[in-house]
Amino acid sequence: MSSSKKTINIALLVADTPVPPVVEAHGDYSKIYPDFFKQSGNIIKRHKWQESLDLRIRAFDVVHKQEYPDEGQLKDGLWDAICVTGSAASAHADISWIHKLVDYVRHIGEKHPLVRILGICFGHQIVGKAFGAEVKLNDEGWEVSASARTRG
């Protein structure tokens, strides 16, 4: 059997910009997430016939530009997955772009069931809200990580 390359197309729904020191050191989310996925993809075990994994990741600004993958591209099967990034915004905020994002994720699940959905931190809460999960505020305050919290 000849070797082959597996290509996965991911629509990155960017919901924030990291703080300036992170951007200076690592870039914004449109660079950080693809780098993370590509590094992770390099260590995933594959079948012997599948020599490599090619990730094609396109960022969509869902906050300022409110842009999303084209419906026609979704119907044509261009996107294998969507990923909703983290954000300093609250998934509970009554903000139009957050409502639109929740509705969009729900639409993907209902109308495009072959498209995988991944949410990280804020994104995970958005995915939960889209599908009716109970998503609650943390009584301890906003978390950046398990050891770095802010009160208020």
Side-chain angles (χ1 to χ4, degrees):
M1 186 176 279
S2 64
S3 62
S4 69
K5 180 186 284 191
K6 172 77 173 170
T7 300
I8 298 175
N9 293 296
I10 301 172
L12 183 67
L13 307 184
V14 179
D16 204 352
T17 300
V19 294
V22 173
V23 173
E24 289 171 19
H26 305 286
D28 63 11
Y29 285 151
S30 65
K31 177 166 177 7
I32 293 171
Y33 278 82
D35 287 351
F36 169 72
F37 286 137
K38 288 174 183 173
Q39 289 171 15
S40 299
N42 288 335
I43 61 172
I44 294 173
K45 292 186 179 191
R46 287 181 275 286
H47 295 283
K48 291 178 184 174
W49 53 265
Q50 190 179 56
E51 72 182 31
S52 65
L53 178 65
D54 181 27
L55 294 176
R56 295 185 183 159
I57 301 169
R58 178 174 167 207
F60 293 85
D61 178 348
V62 299
V63 179
H64 305 290
K65 295 180 182 176
Q66 295 196 17
E67 59 185 4
Y68 291 87
D70 179 81
E71 185 66 21
Q73 293 174 341
L74 288 162
K75 286 180 181 177
D76 289 345
L78 174 66
W79 299 107
D80 297 301
I82 63 166
C83 175
V84 183
T85 69
S87 179
S90 170
H92 302 280
D94 187 15
I95 302 172
S96 63
W97 73 264
I98 292 176
H99 297 302
K100 184 175 180 178
L101 180 57
V102 170
D103 290 344
Y104 183 80
V105 170
R106 183 181 309 111
H107 170 79
I108 293 296
E110 292 173 352
K111 301 296 183 186
H112 303 284
L114 296 179
V115 176
R116 306 303 190 259
I117 301 171
L118 170 67
I120 299 179
C121 200
F122 165 86
H124 187 73
Q125 294 175 60
I126 294 298
V127 172
K129 287 179 68 97
F131 297 108
E134 183 179 6
V135 179
K136 299 190 298 185
L137 289 170
N138 182 354
D139 292 335
E140 300 289 322
W142 187 71
E143 285 189 56
V144 175
S145 70
S147 62
R149 292 189 176 141
T150 59
R151 302 279 179 195

